[in-house]
Amino acid sequence: MKQYINRRHISLVLALFILYLAITYWEIVAKFIQTIFSATMPLLIGGIVAYIVNLLLRQYEHLYLYLFKKPSAQKFKRPVGIVLSYLTIILIIAIVFALVIPELITCVRLLIANHSHIINHFIDYFEHSSDFKGFINSFDASKIQWDKIGKYLTSGVGGTFRTVISTASSVFSAATTAIIAFFFSIYLLIYKEMLQHQFTKLLSTYFSRYQSQIIRVLKVFDESYSNYIVGQCKDAAILGISCFIGMTILRMPYASMIGVVTAFGALIPIIGAILGASVGVIIIFAVSPLQAGIFLIFIILLQQLDNRITYPLVVGRSIGLPSVWVFAAVIIGGGISGILGMMFTVPLFAALYKLLSTDAKNRITIQKENE
């Protein structure tokens, strides 16, 4: 018992000493953490990609086992599932671009055509403006300080060159990160059972007393995030398709593009619907203010139906988080990390809510039994 107490005291003193060093040398510690975070960024992105792709991989593997039941065909289950999962994502992206790009080009051309008279009016103003003509006539090239202009142009060219180099470096770094993340995600998906076995072995070796609790917490988080991602994607697809069908029936312009924008906006809780509707109203208003008003009424009705019927059925039951906490999660996540923070904190709050509510119920039950 004394040995256990001594070990506990030593661990507490060591933890306090490490905390003291971290506070005293915080700048060094922060730079070190930032360096580690930057170095592991491709691996973190690859892990997130692998987690999302794994949701599709499970479905394809179940389908493969259902279609090919021979033992000789089992070894191809994982490669076929991974290829089909990534091809599905690529196909979705290709369809989105095919729907959005042509109508976006048409929209830009229409905006330029409708506002070309503004450009012509601007040119006519300078052609007939007496002030502008007087400025041209009073212009004296001999008073120009050419040495300063030369220095400015030289520094400007140098600055432009540095900007080009910096941009090219950023693009190359982003491409390298994407490639590493892609291959690392494939590696994780291929060896996910082996990694799971190694993680379980690590828990049983060093955290045997808390192994069941850690696994239960991780399962709750996995269930919350997977249900949220699947449910949010389903709801976004339903809302986008409904928007496209409704706009087609009402004969509104840019139905496919606005349907895609609405679907992607629906992936962001609460605020995404407002953003999608705002973009649609602005785009249609350039064509017809009357149709923009009709679209605004239509999208409000559609979102009300989604909020009251579709979203509770598809997403609400899967995450089990009350709407007040969803709102709090969106505000906190948006303040921390913008749109990505909003999408990350909702399932996080759902998992914490489920763990705390379960623990509270267990404690209340134990207290009643003791009484």
Side-chain angles (χ1 to χ4, degrees):
M1 182 69 180
K2 290 182 179 180
Q3 185 178 4
Y4 172 75
I5 294 174
N6 290 333
R7 287 181 179 178
R8 187 174 181 181
H9 288 169
I10 292 172
S11 300
L12 179 60
V13 171
L14 183 61
L16 291 175
F17 179 69
I18 294 173
L19 180 62
Y20 167 77
L21 291 177
I23 295 173
T24 305
Y25 303 98
W26 175 246
E27 292 184 0
I28 300 174
V29 173
K31 289 182 180 179
F32 177 75
I33 294 173
Q34 185 177 2
T35 303
I36 296 297
F37 184 76
S38 300
T40 57
M41 180 60 69
L43 304 183
L44 293 174
I45 296 175
I48 295 173
V49 172
Y51 184 82
I52 295 173
V53 174
N54 187 53
L55 300 176
L56 284 172
L57 180 60
R58 293 175 186 173
Q59 305 302 320
Y60 279 123
E61 286 185 344
H62 286 309
L63 180 62
Y64 184 89
L65 293 175
Y66 178 78
L67 296 176
F68 303 98
K69 299 181 180 179
K70 293 183 179 181
S72 59
Q74 301 300 313
K75 59 182 180 180
F76 300 106
K77 176 188 69 173
R78 182 60 48 81
V80 172
I82 291 175
V83 171
L84 290 177
S85 299
Y86 278 101
L87 284 178
T88 301
I89 296 175
I90 293 172
L91 181 61
I92 293 173
I93 295 173
I95 292 173
V96 168
F97 275 100
L99 292 173
V100 171
I101 297 300
E103 291 200 352
L104 182 61
I105 294 173
T106 304
C107 179
V108 172
R109 288 177 178 174
L110 183 63
L111 288 174
I112 294 174
N114 289 343
H115 296 84
S116 60
H117 65 280
I118 298 176
I119 300 174
N120 294 330
H121 179 72
F122 187 74
I123 295 173
D124 292 338
Y125 170 77
F126 280 103
E127 287 180 350
H128 300 90
S129 175
S130 58
D131 295 332
F132 182 73
K133 289 180 179 180
F135 172 76
I136 295 297
N137 294 329
S138 63
F139 180 75
D140 189 1
S142 61
K143 295 181 179 180
I144 299 177
Q145 298 179 355
W146 294 105
D147 55 341
K148 292 185 178 181
I149 293 177
K151 291 180 180 179
Y152 176 77
L153 290 176
T154 304
S155 62
V157 170
T160 304
F161 182 74
R162 286 192 294 271
T163 303
V164 170
I165 294 297
S166 176
T167 303
S169 176
S170 300
V171 171
F172 179 77
S173 176
T176 304
T177 301
I179 294 172
I180 295 174
F182 173 72
F183 283 104
F184 184 67
S185 66
I186 294 177
Y187 178 86
L188 291 177
L189 292 172
I190 292 174
Y191 298 104
K192 63 177 184 176
E193 285 84 4
M194 182 193 73
L195 295 172
Q196 182 179 0
H197 175 71
Q198 291 176 349
F199 180 74
T200 305
K201 189 176 181 180
L202 183 68
L203 286 179
S204 62
T205 303
Y206 296 100
F207 305 97
S208 57
R209 294 181 58 189
Y210 307 101
Q211 181 180 359
S212 59
Q213 291 90 336
I214 293 174
I215 292 176
R216 182 175 64 85
V217 170
L218 291 177
K219 284 183 177 180
V220 170
F221 274 91
D222 175 58
E223 182 181 354
S224 296
Y225 275 93
S226 59
N227 289 341
Y228 174 77
I229 293 172
V230 173
Q232 201 74 18
C233 290
K234 288 181 179 178
D235 179 69
I238 293 171
L239 185 63
I241 293 172
S242 302
C243 180
F244 169 75
I245 294 174
M247 292 183 66
T248 303
I249 294 173
L250 295 173
R251 296 181 179 180
M252 292 185 182
Y254 312 120
S256 59
M257 182 176 67
I258 295 176
V260 172
V261 171
T262 303
F264 274 94
L267 295 174
I268 307 170
I270 300 176
I271 299 177
I274 301 173
L275 294 176
S278 301
V279 172
V281 169
I282 293 171
I283 292 174
I284 297 177
F285 187 84
V287 179
S288 172
L290 178 61
Q291 287 185 324
I294 297 173
F295 170 77
L296 182 60
I297 297 173
F298 162 73
I299 199 67
I300 290 174
L301 294 175
L302 182 62
Q303 289 176 358
Q304 290 298 317
L305 290 174
D306 178 73
N307 293 334
R308 297 178 183 275
I309 299 175
T310 308
Y311 193 88
L313 292 175
V314 177
V315 183
R317 292 180 180 178
S318 60
I319 62 174
L321 186 66
S323 57
V324 61
W325 293 115
V326 173
F327 183 77
V330 169
I331 297 300
I332 295 173
I336 294 174
S337 186
I339 293 176
L340 291 177
M342 295 178 189
M343 301 174 69
F344 177 80
T345 50
V346 172
L348 176 64
F349 272 51
L352 294 175
Y353 181 83
K354 186 174 182 179
L355 289 172
L356 291 174
S357 61
T358 303
D359 184 68
K361 289 180 182 178
N362 292 335
R363 289 175 182 270
I364 291 173
T365 303
I366 294 173
Q367 288 178 358
K368 290 182 178 180
E369 290 178 355
N370 292 334
E371 291 176 356

